[in-house]
Amino acid sequence: MHPVDESRPLGRILLFGIQHVLVMAATPISAIFLMSATLHLDAGLTVDLLSAAFVLSGVGSLIQSLGPWKFGPRLPFVMLPGGAPLILFLAIAEQHGLRTASGAVILTALFCFVVLPVFSRLLAFFPALVIGTMIVIVGVNLVKVGAVLVTGRPGQPGFADTTNLMLGMATIGFTVVFYLLFTGILRQLAVMLGLLAGTALAAGLGHIDTGRAVEGGLVSLPHLMPFGSPQFNLLAALPLMLYSLASMAEATGQTVINAEAVGKEIDRRTAVPRTVRGDALTSLFGGAFGLPLMVTSGENIGIVSVTGVRSRFVTAAAGVVLIAIGFLAPVTRAISVIPSAVIGGTAMVVFAVITVLGVQMLGRSDLDRHTNTFICAVALALGLLPILIPGVYAGFSPNLRILLESGVAVGAFVAAVLNVLFHHIRPGIAARLTTSRTESDR
């Protein structure tokens, strides 16, 4: 039996599952808080959406990890509300209303099911060179996300606050020390121990408001259609549908790099569609509960690589924990009081591992060939541009800007197109020219 399919003692599985949850919990929290602040939602609706985000993240993690029927690749995956899809959701909500935004999510989930057979036939055009380039861009983007949790955004009050920087760096330091000194299960839990040590340091410095953790009721139940009945507008949903194609390409990379991280050989023609179906099914449910598109997360891949724990039942346990958090209001509030700087410090380490995995994949992509080096260089340049220089496409129309500002989508598209041009179309043209010359010589 492959280590991915091996079960472990329940206590260990639960501990490792909690570690996944602690590292990724900031994402659903920050996504819902951003929705609330941007769309001016009241406190009750915010709590309802936060509960739904945890529950749907858990359900999606169970689908991807356990792989019922044709859904989920049976790899250690967790699912989260997506970053770029969240921005698209907010743009649709501001222009057409929240009911139309929820309808757009549902339409996009159905759209993924419809176009998946066509997309599956295109997987041959996504070799390791394309996927490795995309994973590097994903990793760099995620490291930036983690760093912003530590530093804050440039130009805003509190940017690069020395206390937050100290907490972030200390959390990284704690993780390194635990990984250096410990062995066995304690070393595998180094990420979680580092986060807990950083939280304890923050509490000692008085940077945790424990009062928020004990306020309110005990149970929080998400409500179906919190904004009312969804409204379906194909034109309004079009940007989200277009982005879903890039999301499928990203799911391809996530599936391949996850399999690489756990050392399991997969058939991409079956594993990738299972991942996409899991994303689409979870997003379909998420849209009904007022959430943006749900996507497979690269965060847990970094944890798997750091800890060496490859069992998919660990992320299934994380799914159960996420569902429990969604229903238990005090637990949700307790997680939400962990300082963002501490979560950011942990996230930077985990996300940087993803970048390294992408570099490793590129190392097996025959970069000694100048053509491959050129393809990778151009894709990285254009993919990293919106990440390194935010607002570079501010002069473009809103819908086009949202697509261009997704460095992952741009990098994947450029790498895939250049790969087709240089490795499929150009050799065919050269072969025809050679044949024509040979015939003319005769």
Side-chain angles (χ1 to χ4, degrees), residues 48-417:
D48 185 77
L49 290 173
L50 184 59
S51 174
F54 275 112
V55 171
L56 267 296
S57 294
V59 170
S61 301
L62 285 170
I63 291 173
Q64 300 289 25
S65 301
L66 299 181
W69 196 46
K70 295 183 179 181
F71 296 90
R74 296 181 181 175
L75 290 170
F77 264 130
V78 296
M79 290 195 66
L80 297 170
L86 171 62
I87 303 302
L88 283 165
F89 179 91
L90 295 177
I92 296 171
E94 289 180 322
Q95 293 177 17
H96 304 281
L98 281 164
R99 295 170 63 188
T100 302
S102 294
V105 173
I106 295 173
L107 286 174
T108 302
L110 296 174
F111 173 76
C112 290
F113 284 115
V114 172
V115 302
L116 180 57
V118 177
F119 179 80
S120 299
R121 293 186 177 92
L122 300 177
L123 287 177
F125 301 108
F126 290 88
L129 176 66
V130 175
I131 294 175
T133 302
M134 182 171 61
I135 293 300
V136 170
I137 297 173
V138 170
V140 172
N141 192 30
L142 289 175
V143 169
K144 181 181 178 181
V145 171
V148 169
L149 290 174
V150 177
T151 65
R153 296 191 178 277
Q156 294 187 354
F159 172 67
D161 179 79
T162 53
T163 302
N164 287 336
L165 286 172
M166 183 271 293
L167 284 174
M169 296 303 107
T171 301
I172 294 174
F174 287 136
T175 304
V176 172
V177 169
F178 291 140
Y179 199 81
L180 176 68
L181 298 180
F182 293 155
T183 58
I185 186 172
L186 289 178
R187 169 178 264 196
Q188 294 171 331
L189 292 170
V191 173
M192 183 176 74
L193 294 175
L195 186 142
L196 294 176
T199 303
L201 177 61
L205 295 174
H207 282 264
I208 291 183
D209 180 11
T210 56
R212 285 189 297 158
V214 296
E215 295 175 351
L218 296 177
V219 178
S220 176
L221 298 177
H223 293 88
L224 191 66
M225 295 182 288
F227 310 129
S229 300
Q231 292 183 342
F232 301 104
N233 184 326
L234 281 173
L235 187 61
L238 185 59
L240 200 57
M241 289 181 176
L242 291 175
Y243 180 81
S244 69
L245 298 175
S247 181
M248 289 184 188
E250 186 172 352
T252 301
Q254 299 279 23
T255 304
V256 173
I257 201 68
N258 194 314
E260 292 263 347
V262 299
K264 183 176 182 179
E265 293 186 6
I266 60 170
D267 183 353
R268 288 196 294 168
R269 293 171 297 179
T270 57
V272 171
R274 292 177 71 98
T275 302
V276 174
R277 288 191 203 101
D279 284 358
L281 182 62
T282 309
S283 294
L284 189 63
F285 291 134
F289 283 91
L291 299 176
L293 284 180
M294 305 289 292
V295 297
T296 46
S297 166
E299 301 174 13
N300 68 298
I301 301 174
I303 300 176
V304 168
S305 298
V306 170
T307 63
V309 180
R310 296 181 280 177
S311 173
R312 59 190 172 94
F313 296 104
V314 169
T315 48
V320 174
V321 172
L322 285 166
I323 294 172
I325 290 174
F327 288 125
L328 298 177
V331 178
T332 305
R333 292 193 296 268
I335 289 180
S336 68
V337 302
I338 299 177
S340 60
V342 174
I343 296 175
T346 300
M348 287 173 65
V349 175
V350 173
F351 295 161
V353 172
I354 298 172
T355 309
V356 174
L357 292 174
V359 172
Q360 289 177 343
M361 183 172 287
L362 287 176
R364 298 192 296 273
S365 302
D366 197 13
L367 289 181
D368 290 336
R369 294 176 60 185
H370 295 302
T371 299
N372 287 350
T373 302
F374 181 80
I375 292 172
C376 181
V378 174
L380 286 175
L382 296 177
L384 292 175
L385 178 61
I387 298 172
L388 300 177
I389 307 179
V392 66
Y393 297 116
F396 290 81
S397 64
N399 289 339
L400 182 60
R401 186 173 69 245
I402 289 173
L403 293 174
L404 290 175
E405 288 178 348
S406 172
V408 177
V410 172
F413 177 78
V414 171
V417 169

